[in-house]
Amino acid sequence: MLRDVSLRVTAPRLAVLSAVHQHPHTDTDSIIGLVRDELGTVSHQAVYDVLRALTTAGLLRRIEPPGSVARYEARVGDNHHHVVCRSCGTIADVDCAVGYAPCLTASEAHGFVIDEAEVVYRGLCPDCSVRS
Ligand SMILES: [Zn+2]
Ligand SMILES: [Zn+2]
């Protein structure tokens, strides 16, 4: 994947990619923890730099649900949406069909050329709705 986007393959890049693949919608602190589990000492800054490079290259998608810290996922390019639990913050994917994103059709585009849309659904996840 890294070679496909002309990025040099480095241990931190591989560790960050695999961490996000295995833990979708993970925040930066958790990613740092996962990368350290695998590589030992890695600086915050190194992980931030890797996240930025991978996001810019399109291998990771950065999402920032309102009221949440930035989170990263490896499912890119399909303009899918998210449902966020109001209580525990759990995030799940809500599909937009791959290759065709009906949500991009805004009722009024105001002359903008729109290439992305993000809908955040909110509610209670199954665990939290049982508890309440
Ligand atoms: Zn919940
Ligand atoms: Zn997602």
Side-chain angles (χ1 to χ4, degrees):
M1 287 176 73
L2 288 166
R3 288 193 194 98
D4 282 350
V5 294
S6 314
L7 282 181
R8 223 155 31 85
V9 179
T10 65
R13 283 174 179 168
L14 286 176
V16 168
L17 260 187
S18 80
V20 178
H21 269 271
Q22 284 158 40
H23 305 268
H25 314 129
T26 312
D27 61 47
T28 308
D29 285 346
S30 312
I31 293 169
I32 290 169
L34 291 161
V35 170
R36 285 192 175 150
D37 285 348
E38 198 175 318
L39 300 180
T41 47
V42 178
S43 71
H44 275 70
Q45 193 56 48
V47 174
Y48 284 122
D49 290 346
V50 169
L51 284 169
R52 193 171 323 112
L54 296 179
T55 304
T56 304
L59 294 182
L60 295 183
R61 177 178 173 196
R62 180 180 200 261
I63 58 167
E64 206 167 345
S68 164
V69 295
R71 289 160 184 274
Y72 293 87
E73 66 183 340
R75 183 177 162 183
V76 296
D78 66 352
N79 200 81
H80 71 273
H81 304 301
H82 295 99
V83 56
V84 182
C85 177
R86 240 180 244 295
S87 175
C88 69
T90 289
I91 299 178
D93 288 335
V94 176
D95 285 357
C96 241
V98 178
Y100 172 64
C103 307
L104 291 184
T105 312
S107 55
E108 170 59 79
H110 299 282
F112 285 59
V113 177
I114 296 172
D115 61 16
E116 189 180 353
E118 186 165 2
V119 178
V120 177
Y121 302 91
R122 288 180 178 283
L124 289 177
C125 73
D127 285 351
C128 293
S129 46
V130 167
R131 247 179 270 133
S132 62

